Amino acid sequence: IIAYEATVFGIDLGFAPVLQVLTDPRFGRFTESYGGDPILVSHLGFYMSRGLSGGGNLSEYIKPGHINNEAKHFLGYAYGGKDGLPLDVSTRTLREIYMRPWEAFV
């Protein structure tokens, strides 16, 4: 429904899904995310993307009544509860928590 309503107004790109795994409730955009569980964020982000684009793989064209979508925010963006703070985590944490939704999206 989101994609269809966007196409009615001539919109062909949506800035969603939000793939940020929120680990700090001080982050001001907390309500935009799917939560703090990397597996949940991965699944919901993946299916939101496929729903907006009409399913299929990324090499297919966007189906009529659907829109292209761009995931956001940058990897580790909300770390530390503030926009743009330096990300100071281990490689393991980066891969297991923050990178997981991005891998599912791509």
Side-chain angles (χ1 to χ4, degrees):
I1 292 177
I2 295 170
Y4 175 75
E5 289 177 351
T7 61
V8 168
F9 292 100
I11 298 169
D12 61 359
L13 175 64
F15 296 107
V18 174
L19 298 180
Q20 183 59 51
V21 177
L22 294 177
T23 55
D24 192 327
R26 296 175 297 169
F27 183 58
R29 298 170 129 179
F30 201 82
T31 58
E32 292 180 25
S33 175
Y34 295 121
D37 180 352
I39 295 171
L40 178 65
V41 173
S42 297
H43 286 292
L44 292 177
F46 176 84
Y47 288 110
M48 174 66 150
S49 172
R50 294 309 177 261
L52 290 171
S53 65
N57 60 43
L58 297 178
S59 65
E60 294 178 358
Y61 291 105
I62 304 302
K63 295 181 179 174
H66 292 83
I67 60 174
N68 197 356
N69 56 89
E70 181 177 307
K72 54 184 224 176
H73 298 101
F74 294 116
L75 179 66
Y77 181 70
Y79 177 79
K82 201 82 166 112
D83 289 344
L85 281 181
L87 182 62
D88 185 20
V89 296
S90 69
T91 302
R92 180 178 179 181
T93 299
L94 184 68
R95 289 178 190 256
E96 291 181 2
I97 295 177
Y98 296 103
M99 194 178 292
R100 188 179 295 231
W102 292 92
E103 290 173 335
F105 179 77
V106 174

